[in-house]
């Protein structure tokens, strides 16, 4: 029987230790694991004065404990060995499978009927036909002898089924999410009980890889995951856009812009494209983005309104869909630094006619979007409870809104009861709109809290012929007004706001060379979308949102 030494202070439980006095083990369990029949000596500090510390034979109880420990170390070793064996068997199996897979050559069967190249949108019109589709792998499932690829091409999704050699081939086993493919196959209606997008699947007879996306640490799913930090998602916006929700909102957005153009065309309102680089302000100097324009000070436009006004005598009623820029300091869920502004300007009309026009444009546009074969179903998916706004909207004067807020215990920004002249800030406005639960045309705001160009009401010069359209869940989506048509009164407005009127000569001339009663409004595209698609913030409704601290990618 060998003698083995254990020293908990200086020993080591590793193959380099020998168990000698010079090279002891650290624990008795390890010592017995290495040498089961050994006689163990453990190092003990002496308790008696003058007696040196030394090795003593292990006690019976410590020995019992050590035997148990050694047994569990043995079990652990056996388990690890088994795992290693299994892993290497699996690896061998994988290698064999890959070698087999590499032998498979995928070729197109030229005896098949020629394929019609289609977009996924029209799969339903091509049942039982041989087609070619091209797109990105949205989802991928590979199992024994079968591979399911959900292909996305921006117009829709289709489930593609690969079987036999196609499923077992090396290139199939190495497919990754977001790889681009060209696929040939026959579209089949799904049998009862099976489900896939559009109720059809593509039975693949041949396919080619166009661009293989990375696997492993650079894989798409590693970059974009559910629950990823929003700022990382913003950095990866170009990839996040490929997701089902964001891409759906962008499709609704496209339809919305198309629908609003259709409505304006029906109302004989002409589209114009005013400049974005300007040297005048519209909505207050504090939110202007300044820029150097060949050595002169210029700004990014806050609104195209002033330019639209100048178009009235030339083109009649006009509109534009243009980016507006606001250096908003506040981080709110409904403010962007750049947004798509739908603005219209109409001549020879009354305030009441302006309100009716706004309701018409909103209700008709929304109806067209809901009736659209692409956007309609997407809105159902994104916002199942959406109720189309009914014409006419509820109308409410600012002064009555104050009464409503006070009666409902909603305080102003100072935490006090609302009084005439107070701004109805975002939170209070949203509470009121959400409680009332229907679109509201909020009218007749005080002169002091509205812009310099707004026409005063004839029956009460303290207030203006102004309107905000408020929608449940987002609040204000539209701001508009009748414009001051009298030159002198307009100049007073400039003076009141401390704006030098000189730079506005072209805008003032609109009052000099044949003035007319006129009015207009601006609709925030992203705010309408947030309401329509039930998004928490306008950031989810813009392609590449710009807000404080974010100007990339
Ligand atoms: O109420 P606003 O500031 O009105 C104007 O700019 C007028 N000159 C428009 C006009 O009469 N032609 O803005 C109009 C709309 C708001 O109701 C809101 O929907 C949107 O533009 N909006 C914003 N959207 C996103 N981010 C911002 N920072 C926005 N500021 C205004």
């Amino acid at each position: 029987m060998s003698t083995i030494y254990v020293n908990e202070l200086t020993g080591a439980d590793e193959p380099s230790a020998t168990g000698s006095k010079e090279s002891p083990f650290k624990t008795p369990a390890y010592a017995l694991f290495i040498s089961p029949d050994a006689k163990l000596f453990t190092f003990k500090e002496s308790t008696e004065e003058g007696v040196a510390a030394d090795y003593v034979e292990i006690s019976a109880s410590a020995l019992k404990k050590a035997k148990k420990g050694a047994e569990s170390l043995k079990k652990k070793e056996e388990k690890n060995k088994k795992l290693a064996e299994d892993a290497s068997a699996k690896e061998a199996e994988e290698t064999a499978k890959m070698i087999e897979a590499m032998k498979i050559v995928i070729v197109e069967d030229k005896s098949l009927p020629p394929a019609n190249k289609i977009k996924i949108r029209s799969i339903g019109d091509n049942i039982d036909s041989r087609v070619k589709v091209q797109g990105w792998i949205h989802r991928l499932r590979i199992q024994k002898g079968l591979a399911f690829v959900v292909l996305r091409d921006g117009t829709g999704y289709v489930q593609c089924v690969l079987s036999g050699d196609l499923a077992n081939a090396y290139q199939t086993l190495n497919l990754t999410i977001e790889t681009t493919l060209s696929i040939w196959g026959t579209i089949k209606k799904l049998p009862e009980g099976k489900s896939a997008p559009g109720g059809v699947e593509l039975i693949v007879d041949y396919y080619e890889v166009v661009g293989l996306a990375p696997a492993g640490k650079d894989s798409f799913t590693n970059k974009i995951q559910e629950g990823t930090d929003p700022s990382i998602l913003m950095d990866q916006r170009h990839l996040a856009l490929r997701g089902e929700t964001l891409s759906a909102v962008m499709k609704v957005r496209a339809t919305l812009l198309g629908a609003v153009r259709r409505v304006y065309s029906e109302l004989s309102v002409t589209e114009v494209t005013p400049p974005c680089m300007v040297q005048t302000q519209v909505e207050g100097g504090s939110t202007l983005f300044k820029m150097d324009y060949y050595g002169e000070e210029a700004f990014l436009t806050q609104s195209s309104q002033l330019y639209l006004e100048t178009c009235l005598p030339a083109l009649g009623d006009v509109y534009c869909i243009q980016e507006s820029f606001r250096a908003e300091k506040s981080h709110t869920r409904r403010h962007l630094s750049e947004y798509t502004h739908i603005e219209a300007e109409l001549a020879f009309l009354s305030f009441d006619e302006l309100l009716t026009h706004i309701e018409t444009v909103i209700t008709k546009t929304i109806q067209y979007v809901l009736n659209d074969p692409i956007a309609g179903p997407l809105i159902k998916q994104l916002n199942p409870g959406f109720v189309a706004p009914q014409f006419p909207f509820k109308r409410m004067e600012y002064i009555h809104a104050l009464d409503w807020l006070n009666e409902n215990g909603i305080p102003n920004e100072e935490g006090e009861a609302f009084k005439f002249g107070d701004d109805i800030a975002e939170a209070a406005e949203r509470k009121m709109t959400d409680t009332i639960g229907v679109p509201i045309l909020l009218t007749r705001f005080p002169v002091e809290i509205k812009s310099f160009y707004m026409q005063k009401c004839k029956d009460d010069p303290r207030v203006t012929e102004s309107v905000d359209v408020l929608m449940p869940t987002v609040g204000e989506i539209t701001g508009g007004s009748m414009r001051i048509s009298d030159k002198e009164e307009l100049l007073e407005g400039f003076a009141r706001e401390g704006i030098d009127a000189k730079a506005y000569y072209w805008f003032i001339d609109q009052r000099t060379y044949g003035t007319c009663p006129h009015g207009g409004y601006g609709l925030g595209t992203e705010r309408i979308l947030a309401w329509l698609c039930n998004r928490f913030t306008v950031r989810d409704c813009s392609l590449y949102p710009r807000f404080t601290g974010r100007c990339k990618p």
Side-chain angles (χ1 to χ4, degrees):
M1 190 186 288
S2 57
T3 301
I4 297 270
Y5 295 93
V6 174
N7 187 331
E8 296 202 357
L9 299 173
T10 61
D13 284 351
E14 46 193 49
S16 61
T18 61
S20 68
K21 257 191 185 173
E22 294 71 35
S23 172
F25 292 126
K26 188 174 177 66
T27 63
Y30 188 79
L32 286 187
F33 169 65
I34 296 295
S35 183
D37 300 322
K39 195 168 187 182
L40 296 193
F41 281 78
T42 54
F43 190 76
K44 279 268 168 335
E45 292 289 347
S46 167
T47 46
E48 274 177 57
E49 213 175 307
V51 178
D54 199 0
Y55 283 96
V56 294
E57 191 169 351
I58 192 165
S59 70
S61 65
L63 183 65
K64 201 168 158 200
K65 209 168 134 203
K67 278 185 178 158
K68 263 200 176 156
E71 258 166 48
S72 79
L73 282 174
K74 190 145 195 251
K75 274 193 193 137
K76 210 163 157 189
E77 185 194 48
E78 278 162 8
K79 196 171 152 199
N80 284 343
K81 209 167 132 198
K82 173 107 181 36
L83 282 177
E85 278 167 9
D86 287 355
S88 82
K90 198 157 175 224
E91 204 181 307
E93 196 183 315
E94 282 293 314
T95 312
K97 197 167 143 195
M98 285 297 170
I99 290 169
E100 278 311 301
M102 278 166 160
K103 288 185 198 155
I104 301 172
V105 183
I106 302 180
V107 280
E108 186 178 6
D109 179 353
K110 296 287 180 195
S111 69
L112 289 171
N116 204 2
K117 183 174 153 182
I118 61 160
K119 293 282 183 193
I120 294 172
R121 174 199 308 127
S122 55
I123 42 174
D125 307 329
N126 288 275
I127 309 278
D128 294 328
S129 315
R130 187 165 184 258
V131 297
K132 175 187 179 186
V133 290
Q134 292 175 293
W136 291 257
I137 298 184
H138 190 66
R139 277 197 288 272
L140 177 66
R141 185 156 51 93
I142 300 177
Q143 57 192 55
K144 267 207 158 68
L146 274 181
F148 296 93
V149 169
V150 173
L151 199 73
R152 181 190 78 234
D153 73 350
T155 74
Y157 304 87
V158 64
Q159 172 161 285
C160 308
V161 185
L162 287 75
S163 56
D165 274 359
L166 279 175
N168 296 326
Y170 185 75
Q171 76 173 29
T172 305
L173 301 180
N174 285 290
L175 287 179
T176 49
I177 297 283
E178 294 306 317
T179 287
T180 33
L181 302 178
S182 297
I183 299 186
W184 288 257
T186 307
I187 298 169
K188 290 281 174 197
K189 261 208 158 90
L190 276 180
E192 283 285 316
K194 281 179 87 182
S195 79
V200 298
E201 57 188 12
L202 183 67
I203 307 301
V204 182
D205 58 60
Y206 176 62
Y207 84 94
E208 288 170 4
V209 173
V210 180
L212 189 66
K217 94 174 186 340
D218 288 332
S219 67
F220 183 84
T221 33
N222 237 6
K223 295 218 156 177
I224 299 269
Q225 278 169 353
E226 229 177 284
T228 302
D229 183 80
S231 98
I232 295 174
L233 278 182
M234 279 294 172
D235 288 342
Q236 303 296 336
R237 185 73 167 183
H238 57 299
L239 300 181
L241 279 171
R242 301 178 182 202
E244 286 172 33
T245 305
L246 256 183
S247 62
V249 175
M250 291 308 134
K251 279 184 198 169
V252 175
R253 186 183 160 105
T255 307
L256 174 84
L257 294 177
V260 80
R261 283 195 162 96
R262 179 174 159 199
V263 172
Y264 282 132
S265 165
E266 287 169 1
L267 296 172
S268 300
V269 184
T270 303
E271 181 165 11
V272 292
T273 48
C276 277
M277 294 189 279
V278 299
Q279 291 188 311
T280 44
Q281 57 160 291
V282 191
E283 298 301 332
S286 69
T287 62
L288 281 172
F289 273 111
K290 292 188 181 55
M291 55 180 275
D292 174 63
Y293 190 80
Y294 305 110
E296 280 184 47
E297 184 177 69
F299 316 109
L300 294 175
T301 191
Q302 292 170 312
S303 156
S304 299
Q305 178 195 323
L306 308 192
Y307 291 93
L308 292 185
E309 288 189 46
T310 67
C311 295
L312 293 176
L315 303 166
D317 299 343
V318 283
Y319 78 95
C320 68
I321 300 181
Q322 179 85 288
E323 297 297 277
S324 276
F325 303 86
R326 306 274 171 108
E328 306 274 5
K329 308 289 181 301
S330 51
H331 261 106
T332 82
R333 54 198 250 206
R334 67 182 201 188
H335 285 97
L336 291 165
S337 305
E338 173 177 354
Y339 70 97
T340 304
H341 206 168
I342 303 165
E343 293 181 276
E345 203 63 30
L346 312 157
F348 294 107
L349 86 172
S350 66
F351 184 42
D352 211 50
E353 285 166 337
L354 175 68
L355 298 182
T356 306
H357 166 92
I358 293 174
E359 288 166 329
T360 307
V361 169
I362 294 175
T363 44
K364 272 194 154 191
T365 301
I366 297 301
Q367 208 48 60
Y368 287 158
V369 177
L370 292 175
N371 293 345
D372 183 83
I374 294 168
L378 290 175
I379 292 168
K380 276 220 173 70
Q381 208 175 295
L382 295 162
N383 192 4
F386 183 74
V387 184
Q390 294 303 311
F391 182 96
F393 293 174
K394 181 183 174 62
R395 295 184 186 194
M396 195 179 199
E397 289 185 20
Y398 162 85
I399 196 140
H400 298 139
L402 299 191
D403 294 341
W404 189 97
L405 289 161
N406 289 337
E407 280 159 20
N408 286 272
I410 299 169
N412 69 9
E413 290 220 281
E414 282 78 47
E416 292 160 7
F418 275 97
K419 56 188 184 309
F420 185 85
D422 282 349
D423 206 2
I424 304 174
E426 187 172 333
E429 180 192 277
R430 185 174 300 130
K431 258 191 202 156
M432 181 176 83
T433 320
D434 287 354
T435 310
I436 296 174
V438 291
I440 304 170
L441 290 176
L442 193 60
T443 59
R444 293 167 65 100
F445 290 88
V447 174
E448 296 73 38
I449 61 168
K450 283 292 178 184
S451 308
F452 68 89
Y453 53 74
M454 291 190 180
Q455 181 75 54
K456 288 181 187 144
C457 292
K458 286 184 190 61
D459 59 345
D460 182 358
R462 294 180 309 152
V463 294
T464 51
E465 290 186 322
S466 51
V467 59
D468 279 359
V469 181
L470 311 181
M471 290 300 180
T473 71
V474 282
E476 183 200 325
I477 61 159
T478 304
S481 77
M482 292 302 289
R483 323 303 192 190
I484 296 174
S485 54
D486 178 75
K487 184 173 158 182
E488 293 313 314
E489 202 184 324
L490 179 66
L491 291 175
E492 280 168 28
F494 278 119
R496 187 185 72 235
E497 299 297 324
I499 305 170
D500 182 358
K502 259 203 256 69
Y504 296 76
Y505 69 93
W506 50 275
F507 173 64
I508 297 164
D509 267 358
Q510 207 265 323
R511 277 86 182 155
T512 308
Y513 296 94
T515 192
C516 71
H518 65 287
Y521 55 91
L523 289 144
T525 305
E526 294 77 7
R527 291 206 190 163
I528 301 178
L529 282 168
W531 163 62
L532 190 57
C533 299
N534 193 27
R535 295 300 96 196
F536 178 72
T537 151
V538 287
R539 294 176 190 178
D540 293 341
C541 304
S542 164
L543 197 63
Y544 283 96
R546 299 299 186 234
F547 48 91
T548 332
R550 168 70 54 184
C551 199
K552 63 171 193 260

